[in-house]
Amino acid sequence: MTQPQFPGIRIDAAEIRIVHLPLLTPFVISTGTMTDKIFPLLTLRGDGLEGFGEGVMDILPDYLEETQAGSLAFLEQAILPQILGRSFASPAELAAILDPWRGHRMAKAMVEMAVWDMWAKALNIPLTAALGGTREAVEVGVSLGIADIPTTLERVATAVEGGYRRVKLKIRRGHDLELLAAVRNAFPTIKLTVDANTDYRLPDLPLLKTMDQFGLDYIEQPLAFDDIDDHSRIQRHLLTAICLDESIRSATDARKALVAEAARVINIKVGRVGGFGPARAIHDLCAAFDVPVWCGGMLESGIGRAHNIHLASLPNFSKPGDTSSASRYFKRDIVEQQLEAVGGLMPIPRHGPGLGVTLDRPYLDSVTSQRQDFRP
């Protein structure tokens, strides 16, 4: 007997909102301070289904070159006209539309993630199953913004009491060794990492070598955002592993970094690499090199956070990620479910198929500053 074929998903309409979520505490890193999370939220609709994708690009080219204005223009002029009114048997079919365009990985990821969400809902399965995830919960740590040493020690103590599996400290030149000494002295056994957000340069190698004494799990992205070669140079002189973040935009970048031994750990962010397809390719490549990965965060709302949690259920995500409790950042989230870690474990959202979360629509309306609808 012939089995009925899955008809795929049809995209009949799209909506883009600009959402402003105030942060409970300003988040400070080496490149600046964030007081509000301002992001685009994409909704794709068709056949009674909705799929959601959250953009992680900044208003100005801070983290990477991509900006919200450029991304939204790219979506409106190049991508949405090609997908509205069309059917897709699977998210893989998007590659023919997305790949020819250069850059704009964060914008591409918004669309691709929304399609993955719709596709999993059409199949009536959780997104983790569609992606090939193997866990019911994922290990998570905390990322602590730059603050004075007494404040940082208080925040570390709170994280340790909360059971988080890793503490990451944001650092910059002049705010590093004294901070690390104080934290390691107070918490000698915790899994500790640092994230420089590209603030150091090759001449800072002696300072970076000094960090070897603090028993760090890794030093994240110490050098320039577009560099692999100099990271390879300093990794040869460090006992501590380097973790690359901004430098890895694709599986090709990951391959070059791993072959050059520029990193012993890779941070995967879905938005940075262009979606789940590229993220899974990097995950699989790193597994082949026996290099662990972890899921980075960009202070996402419940939509982006849920996407990250599902991705982190894949088997080679063997280090705690940044998908900590949403209540650490927001007084109220745009989803109805509480995405909260317990004992350092974040459960996979299971409130229905796909992402497993539902929008708090009245609150979303109240924090939306712009809204635009698109049809074929």
Side-chain angles (χ1 to χ4, degrees), residues 20 43-44 58 69 75 85 108 115 154 172 175 177 186 212 218 248 264 270 285 287 295 306 331 347 349 356:
H20 293 240
T43 303
L44 299 179
D58 294 320
L75 289 176
K108 293 175 181 177
V115 169
E154 292 177 6
R172 62 186 173 206
H175 185 81
L177 299 183
D212 281 337
Y218 51 80
I248 306 302
R264 299 175 192 155
V270 189
L285 177 71
C295 185
K331 182 177 181 180

Side-chain angles (χ1 to χ4, degrees), residues 51-113:
F52 305 107
E54 178 173 333
V56 295
M57 63 290 291
D58 294 320
I59 294 176
L60 296 175
D62 182 9
Y63 173 68
L64 290 174
E65 306 95 330
E66 198 166 348
T67 65
Q68 286 188 18
S71 294
L72 296 178
F74 172 67
L75 289 176
E76 180 177 352
Q77 297 171 28
I79 302 303
L80 293 181
Q82 294 187 75
I83 67 172
L84 290 172
R86 288 189 55 178
S87 296
F88 297 87
S90 78
E93 292 188 353
L94 278 174
I97 293 172
L98 300 179
D99 289 355
W101 298 100
R102 298 180 182 180
H104 293 287
R105 289 181 173 87
M106 295 176 182
K108 293 175 181 177
M110 286 176 64
V111 175
E112 200 243 30
M113 288 190 291

